[in-house]
Amino acid sequence: SGISASTISRGRSSKLKIVYCSRSSSPTRKLKEENELLSRLEKVASSMNAELSIFEKGNNENAEEDVGADSSPLHFVKSTIELFSSADVVVGVHGASLANIVFSEVGTTVVEMGLEGLPQASHYRHLSQSLGLEHVDVFLMKDSRSLGATEVQLRLGGMNEVVGAVVEGLDNASKRRMMEQQHMDR
């Protein structure tokens, strides 16, 4: 049996959700300030009654924390879909994990830390626009190795740009939820 629409939970919890796409085990584009950023995102999540989930390609233990959870590839796909479809904000350095925004709901904010001026690094912006997602570019410091850089670093002020975009995305999601609830109460 495969995954069907009915087996995937698209319901959002009462808490807002931030999904951070980590590249810590990737050979390229590891974010130098990842620990600091995660610390800042945890503080934002705590102050805004949100939860922070960390997604890492091939190791999505946060998507479902059942004891003895199925570790099959199909289970990984299902849990990835559930995670991204429940996200209010997705944050990550440009990379394949951001392709999972195809499962995100309209209005989700995508904060992409990417490379400025590279045509091959703009497809997540285009994907976001075509899916009705709010896309925010935060540019990294220039590196001659471009997409092949082992480690990347935010530009001066970039950390605050990311955190500000996450806060704004959570605020927008909260407002959207309130409007949806008012519409349902009518």
Side-chain angles (χ1 to χ4, degrees), residues 6 10 19 49-50 66 88 90 95 112 126 135 141 143 183:
S6 62
R10 288 194 169 268
V19 174
N49 191 33
D66 292 339
D88 295 291
V90 176
E112 179 181 4
H126 297 299
H135 191 276
M141 291 180 71
D143 187 309
H183 183 72

Side-chain angles (χ1 to χ4, degrees), residues 6-186:
S6 62
T7 63
I8 298 170
S9 167
R10 288 194 169 268
R12 294 184 187 257
S13 73
S14 60
K15 277 192 158 191
L16 297 168
K17 183 179 280 185
I18 304 164
V19 174
Y20 176 76
C21 300
S22 177
R23 294 186 57 82
S24 64
S25 64
S26 174
T28 59
R29 296 186 307 284
K30 291 179 177 83
L31 183 63
K32 184 176 184 178
E33 306 96 328
E34 183 170 272
N35 289 336
E36 180 186 348
L37 178 57
L38 286 172
S39 176
R40 300 262 314 259
L41 292 177
E42 285 171 1
K43 288 176 185 167
V44 166
S46 176
S47 70
M48 297 186 74
N49 191 33
E51 66 180 271
L52 173 62
S53 294
I54 299 170
F55 176 83
E56 191 149 358
K57 195 168 72 171
N59 182 24
N60 193 9
E61 59 193 45
N62 280 351
E64 191 170 316
E65 296 178 352
D66 292 339
V67 175
D70 182 356
S71 62
S72 70
L74 190 58
H75 174 76
F76 177 75
V77 169
K78 180 182 177 213
S79 63
T80 298
I81 292 169
E82 288 174 347
L83 181 66
F84 281 84
S85 68
S86 67
D88 295 291
V89 179
V90 176
V91 182
V93 170
H94 177 86
S97 291
L98 287 177
N100 292 302
I101 63 174
V102 299
F103 305 117
S104 296
E105 293 188 13
V106 170
T108 299
T109 298
V110 178
V111 182
E112 179 181 4
M113 295 170 278
L115 303 159
E116 186 175 21
L118 259 166
Q120 63 268 43
S122 61
H123 44 277
Y124 297 119
R125 182 178 335 105
H126 297 299
L127 181 59
S128 293
Q129 290 168 348
S130 68
L131 295 171
L133 309 178
E134 300 297 322
H135 191 276
V136 178
D137 283 308
V138 177
F139 295 116
L140 300 164
M141 291 180 71
K142 292 198 182 295
D143 187 309
S144 61
R145 296 165 295 177
S146 186
L147 293 172
T150 304
E151 186 176 72
V152 293
Q153 189 171 355
L154 288 164
R155 290 183 180 174
L156 185 64
M159 180 73 64
N160 290 335
E161 285 182 59
V162 172
V163 173
V166 169
V167 168
E168 186 175 338
L170 291 174
D171 279 340
N172 291 340
S174 181
K175 290 173 188 169
R176 247 189 342 273
R177 287 183 182 196
M178 284 180 11
M179 288 173 53
E180 289 169 1
Q181 186 60 46
Q182 288 172 351
H183 183 72
M184 288 174 50
D185 290 345
R186 289 184 187 166

